[in-house]
Amino acid sequence: MMRTRPLKVALLGCGVVGSEVARIMTTHADDLAARIGAPVELAGVAVRRPSKVREGIDPALITTDATALVKRGDIDVVIEVIGGIEPARTLITTAFEHGASVVSANKALLAEDGAALHAAAEQYGRDLYYEAAVAGAIPLVRPLRESLAGDKVNRVLGIVNGTTNFILDRMDTSGAGYSEALDEATALGYAEADPTADVEGFDAAAKAAILAGIAFHTRVRIGDVYREGITEVTAADIVSARRMGCTVKLLAICERAADGNSVTARVHPAMIPLSHPLASVREAYNAVFVEAEAAGQLMFYGPGAGGSPTASAVLGDLVAVCRNKLNEATGPGDSAYTRLPVSPMGDVVTRYHISLDVADKPGVLAQVATVFAEQGVSIDTVRQQGRNPSGGDEAGAGQGGEASLVVVTHRAADAALSATVEALRGLDTVRGVASIMRVEGE
């Protein structure tokens, strides 16, 4: 039987996501009530600019005093979609203290201070749900936290930022340079006016920290995640990848060490084979590839951002939290019981694609190969092309000119590759290291 007293919901933030949450709560009120077993009522909306017209929201619900809203005592669930560290952190803990569970989409806060938030939720017997913090509408947190709770996840590999995927996809399909592709992403609304968080990998790193923590039941903060953005990816890198039967993606990679005693988390551009499922993820879509011991390989795909997709994830969490409220229970809490250390990037083992500008004369290849051998990095393939002094391609330009040397390695530790690159820079015949890119997904 349905309970007649409504569950009261406070909404913190009413931007692109918050306004869509409010709209769906209103238009789908009957469906939500049927799924939950009780009606839900939007009891207050905290905003910074109260004068802004918000279609479909009763102006009487609008307040600028978010603290007073979460302290009311009659609020059952707080939905936090304001983002950032403060005041979100204080508002969430205050909500717990005053009887409310929390649904959040705040990846930055959860990646930075998730352990403390989980501890506060447990202290007060509240729920903390955050499906929307990682990949928009894609169900990912709950499958990792619940569906795969009895399995052992060894690797999570994914595209978790739609802006960078759009840019790299445009560079690959149209031949556009980075700046041109970024301009298009901005014009279409995929990139913010300040795209730093996306293109420098901060957004993806926060999501990687959350995913690694859930997948490996350990503490991973954003500072533990190695991060590189896509601003240095060039059209030449895209062409080189295509020659190898690969494409370039910004990947979030979380791995359990082979001995099971540590984990790694990293975000960086990488070449992946066109045969890999992630290679076909186009435009601003997200996809995450999960490798588990018993379940095998699983892939989650869909829109990773935007008002409606993110609101869908928020409302899914709202239904779950409200059901828990009715049953006087809480859902899965913090599962960081393994306390595994996070290994440094130098311990990561993968393949590499290195492009060198070298003098076009006899003996250069032998010198380069010797450096790789001295550092214990095995070479898989080498491609050399002559280039004339003006920079145009001219195979076999002859002694005294310049050449491009592309080396693809077998698997090696990142520390060994770094030492190799440093030694290569010391050779008189190496004019410069044009690019270094990891090769993943094989």
Side-chain angles (χ1 to χ4, degrees), residues 8 10 41 43-45 61 66-75 98:
K8 294 189 175 183
E41 173 189 320
V45 182
L61 297 177
T67 302
L69 179 59
V70 300
K71 281 184 173 181
R72 272 178 37 172
D74 64 336
I75 300 297
H98 289 80

Side-chain angles (χ1 to χ4, degrees), residues 3 31 75 88 95 119 124-125 162 173 178 198 265 405 419 426:
R3 192 180 80 164
D31 286 341
I75 300 297
Y124 293 101
T173 57
Y178 167 77
D198 293 322
L405 191 64

Side-chain angles (χ1 to χ4, degrees), residues 101-115:
S101 289
V102 173
V103 172
S104 176
N106 195 332
K107 55 187 170 287
L109 177 57
L110 288 158
E112 177 64 31
D113 214 18

Side-chain angles (χ1 to χ4, degrees), residues 89 129 211 246:
R89 174 167 48 198
Y129 276 52
L211 289 174
C246 293

Side-chain angles (χ1 to χ4, degrees), residues 190-383:
Y190 292 128
E192 301 286 345
D194 180 1
T196 303
D198 293 322
V199 300
E200 293 293 356
F202 291 102
D203 174 85
K207 295 171 181 176
I210 295 170
L211 289 174
I214 298 170
F216 307 133
H217 309 287
T218 197
R219 300 273 187 238
V220 180
R221 301 178 64 183
I222 189 169
D224 298 320
V225 181
Y226 175 84
R227 176 192 55 79
E228 287 180 22
I230 66 166
T231 55
E232 300 300 318
V233 176
T234 66
D237 293 326
I238 302 295
V239 171
S240 285
R242 196 176 298 124
R243 285 173 176 164
M244 290 176 57
C246 293
T247 189
V248 178
K249 299 291 186 182
L250 182 72
L251 298 180
I253 305 172
C254 312
E255 294 177 300
R256 190 190 301 268
D259 61 9
N261 293 328
S262 64
V263 300
T264 58
R266 50 194 167 107
V267 167
H268 54 70
M271 297 179 179
I272 59 172
L274 294 174
S275 57
H276 194 281
L278 291 178
S280 61
V281 179
R282 314 304 293 265
E283 301 284 329
Y285 278 78
N286 284 192
V288 177
F289 204 68
V290 177
E291 298 175 12
E293 205 164 81
Q297 297 179 331
L298 307 170
M299 184 163 161
F300 302 83
Y301 170 85
S308 294
T310 306
S312 171
V314 168
L315 288 161
D317 280 348
L318 176 64
V319 170
V321 170
C322 286
R323 286 172 175 170
N324 291 341
K325 279 277 185 180
L326 291 180
N327 293 322
E328 298 181 348
T330 56
D334 188 13
S335 65
Y337 57 84
T338 61
R339 303 186 186 279
L340 296 174
V342 181
S343 296
M345 186 62 185
D347 290 351
V348 169
V349 176
T350 189
R351 299 178 65 209
Y352 304 88
H353 174 284
I354 304 101
S355 179
L356 305 171
D357 294 331
V358 299
D360 190 7
K361 62 182 182 180
V364 173
L365 181 56
Q367 289 181 347
V368 169
T370 298
V371 170
F372 276 86
E374 289 173 346
Q375 300 299 331
V377 179
S378 175
I379 293 176
D380 182 17
T381 62
V382 177
R383 184 177 74 251

Side-chain angles (χ1 to χ4, degrees), residues 137-171:
I138 304 172
L140 184 58
V141 171
R142 194 166 296 144
L144 283 174
R145 192 162 66 169
E146 299 177 29
S147 303
L148 295 174
D151 207 341
K152 181 181 180 182
V153 176
N154 291 316
R155 194 171 196 235
V156 179
L157 172 78
I159 298 165
V160 295
N161 183 273
T163 300
T164 51
N165 199 59
F166 179 88
I167 292 170
L168 292 172
D169 184 45
R170 278 293 183 268
M171 292 176 70

